[in-house]
Amino acid sequence: MTLSPSEALLTKWLLTYFYQRLPFPQEWLPQKSYWVGGSLRDAYLAWLQGRAAGDPARDGGMESSASVDLDLMCAVDPVGWAAAVARRLGAGFVVLDPERQIARIVLAKLTVDVGLQAGSTPEEDLRQRDFTCNALALDLQREQLLDPTGGQADIRQSRMRMIHPDNLSADPVRLLRGYRQAAQLGFGLDPATQEAIRERAPLLANVAAERVRAEIVALLEAGIPGLAHLQAAVAAGLLQAWLPHLKPESPGFPQAQAVWEWAGRWRPLYPRTLAELAQPLTSSREGRGRLLAVVLAALLWDPAGTEDSVLLTRTAERVETELERLRFSRAEMRAIQKLHHLLPQLQLLLTDSPTPAQQWRLYQQAGSLFGGLALLAVATGGDPQKLESWLKRYEDPQDPLAHLVPLLDGRDLLHSLGAKPGPWVGQLLQDLQEAQAWGQIQTRAEALSFARRWRGQQKD
């Protein structure tokens, strides 16, 4: 097969791109091995976007701090080959799918996934994949780019096109994945693909909750483009079994979009607060960040009936049920419940002149989610100018209201008062901090005097 000059240049560039990222000598590659998957698609996009004129290493090479992923396909024993390479490298090794023989080699800044070729030829494997942009393969021995489904043309047109409707039915999570990848790549779904997805929407009800949640999370993390594609997925009926109350016209979509917009505006003004929201909700470094919980809270917040406590309770129960159905973590569910619970309180305080004690109490209840609560408030119609004073206080770690440092703790009280532990300790600490917020006590001695008077009144 004779390549045109442009095809030859592209193939050479892709090979250079691949081998500069490969963490072992190319001689270790198995016979009949192919570079496939999202990293090949993304490299092709890098080529199209003009990076071909320079060094392929510029775009996320191994010297970069960014993580790199490579996907390989081979014809024989991928699990055994990956295990042997992992041993030689001293790397981690995981079998991801024993039935389909997919394994992963794990290094500090790189993962290599390798799977068994499905079918007698690589082209047969590629034709079984989901979308044409994901059905490219670079033959690493023959140095040829394989494209049996027209993926290159679709990538050039920024088009997400299915290979065959049956491929979507074979793994229904692909129905939602199409919208997610379109959002991440800046692609649009072609009309025939959209229609095929709409016809098969009920199939997504039978997919594992964790897989559906992963796609929803990725769409939310894709920012405003992700929300637009999530809205299109809802319009196609994909989430009817998972989030039945979410409709294309739900106020949650503009609210979630406003969270992203205001986060962008506030980041340079309140960098400490927004950096805190980027941190995971739990101590696990792999945990999802607080800002995602805020976006999800905005998406699921229904402003109708917020003054009716019965409706608020029913809405909270419904949201909890839907989040449990999607297997969101307990930390995420608690965060969203807290945001929904505190939002009406903050909205009410924004319409009045809150006392120092009221401000302190809200800061205390919100904790590290206060920045997210402010985003949710402005996204649901709160006055951004009135929120400024709240945010300026919270941004300052020395602010006596937003970050009040108690003058006494529980052990101080028990020792100084010579009393036994009990529920009274927590109540007294609360009252002490409220008095401190009011400015009624400012020193440790004043706090101890307050505690003695309080304790005496309780005994009386």
Side-chain angles (χ1 to χ4, degrees):
M1 177 180 175
T2 303
L3 300 178
S4 69
S6 61
E7 290 173 330
L9 183 61
L10 168 61
T11 301
K12 180 181 179 181
W13 190 86
L14 289 172
L15 286 165
T16 303
Y17 185 108
F18 175 80
Y19 285 123
Q20 286 179 336
R21 288 153 180 77
L22 194 67
F24 50 81
Q26 65 186 80
E27 291 77 19
W28 292 11
L29 287 167
Q31 289 298 311
K32 295 185 178 180
S33 55
Y34 307 85
W35 179 24
V36 296
S39 59
L40 174 56
R41 176 203 64 218
D42 293 345
Y44 191 95
L45 274 169
W47 164 269
L48 291 178
Q49 291 165 0
R51 297 177 187 141
D55 182 352
R58 290 191 308 164
D59 185 39
M62 288 305 295
E63 75 282 356
S64 167
S65 61
S67 174
V68 179
D69 299 309
L70 296 174
D71 296 292
L72 296 175
M73 175 177 70
C74 64
V76 179
D77 191 20
V79 174
W81 173 82
V85 169
R87 283 195 299 271
R88 295 176 74 175
L89 293 174
F93 170 75
V94 183
V95 178
L96 299 177
D97 189 331
E99 184 177 346
R100 295 193 296 158
Q101 297 190 51
I102 302 174
R104 173 172 292 173
I105 302 167
V106 184
L107 292 164
K109 292 184 180 180
L110 181 142
T111 63
V112 179
D113 289 354
V114 56
L116 183 66
Q117 175 182 297
S120 57
T121 66
E123 290 83 359
E124 186 177 343
D125 178 291
L126 296 174
R127 290 190 183 97
Q128 296 178 43
R129 300 193 174 222
D130 48 11
F131 302 97
T132 60
C133 64
N134 299 324
L136 302 178
L138 186 63
D139 187 326
L140 297 170
Q141 278 73 44
R142 297 167 61 195
E143 299 189 348
Q144 292 181 2
L145 184 62
L146 308 180
D147 180 14
T149 68
Q152 293 182 76
D154 287 323
I155 292 174
R156 290 192 204 100
Q157 296 296 319
S158 299
R159 182 170 54 222
M160 186 70 61
R161 182 171 63 86
M162 65 182 174
I163 294 172
H164 193 280
D166 291 347
N167 295 16
L168 302 180
S169 301
D171 185 3
V173 80
R174 292 172 170 176
L175 303 169
L176 191 53
R177 185 183 297 155
Y179 287 97
R180 186 259 294 175
Q181 290 191 344
Q184 293 172 330
L185 297 171
F187 285 13
L189 279 79
D190 82 318
T193 300
Q194 292 183 56
E195 183 59 29
I197 289 174
R198 190 176 295 109
E199 291 172 354
R200 289 159 179 76
L203 296 177
L204 199 67
N206 302 318
V207 173
E210 292 79 2
R211 300 183 74 199
V212 177
R213 183 197 64 221
E215 297 296 336
I216 293 173
V217 166
L219 278 161
L220 294 176
E221 290 178 335
I224 293 174
L227 286 168
H229 282 279
L230 179 61
Q231 192 171 20
V234 169
L238 286 178
L239 297 183
Q240 182 59 37
W242 301 98
L243 296 170
H245 291 84
L246 189 62
K247 307 299 180 185
E249 64 277 10
S250 293
F253 285 106
Q255 289 169 179
Q257 178 175 330
V259 167
W260 281 118
E261 291 171 345
W262 281 99
R265 294 182 198 178
W266 283 350
R267 189 166 283 109
L269 299 174
Y270 313 108
R272 179 184 169 276
T273 302
L274 270 294
E276 185 176 56
L277 288 177
Q279 298 300 311
L281 274 168
T282 63
S283 57
S284 169
R285 284 183 292 179
E286 290 76 26
R288 292 180 284 272
R290 296 184 179 104
L291 185 55
L292 176 70
V294 180
V295 175
L296 192 52
L299 183 70
L300 299 178
W301 175 255
D302 184 357
T306 54
E307 297 180 2
D308 186 323
S309 60
V310 175
L311 277 178
L312 277 173
T313 301
R314 289 176 182 171
T315 299
E317 292 171 350
R318 183 257 300 169
V319 169
E320 181 178 6
T321 298
E322 292 176 346
L323 293 174
E324 282 184 339
R325 185 184 299 132
L326 284 163
R327 302 289 192 271
F328 276 93
S329 70
R330 297 303 304 176
E332 287 167 317
M333 292 171 60
R334 285 194 298 269
I336 291 167
Q337 288 168 346
K338 178 185 280 191
L339 289 166
H340 283 178
H341 174 69
L342 294 177
L343 178 59
Q345 297 181 38
L346 179 55
Q347 289 172 329
L348 182 61
L349 291 174
L350 291 176
T351 64
D352 202 352
S353 299
T355 65
Q358 288 175 317
Q359 290 178 290
W360 162 77
R361 194 174 297 115
L362 190 71
Y363 283 128
Q364 183 197 48
Q365 290 176 312
S368 60
L369 282 172
F370 178 78
L373 179 62
L375 281 171
L376 186 58
V378 74
T380 54
D383 188 338
Q385 291 185 331
K386 291 186 176 180
L387 279 164
E388 281 182 8
S389 61
W390 289 82
L391 284 163
K392 286 177 180 177
R393 278 188 172 279
Y394 190 76
E395 183 71 12
D396 179 4
Q398 304 303 319
D399 186 87
L401 282 184
H403 305 285
L404 183 144
V405 179
L407 296 167
L408 299 174
D409 61 22
R411 285 183 298 180
D412 293 331
L413 290 177
L414 294 176
H415 176 73
S416 301
L417 300 178
K420 294 181 179 180
W424 66 271
V425 176
Q427 182 59 55
L428 175 52
L429 287 172
Q430 185 84 2
D431 289 354
L432 274 166
Q433 291 177 40
E434 185 165 337
Q436 188 178 343
W438 273 104
Q440 296 170 347
I441 56 175
Q442 299 178 13
T443 67
R444 180 182 173 85
E446 289 174 346
L448 286 171
S449 177
F450 180 100
R452 292 188 183 98
R453 291 196 305 273
W454 187 96
R455 185 66 172 153
Q457 291 169 357
Q458 295 298 310
K459 289 179 178 179
D460 294 340

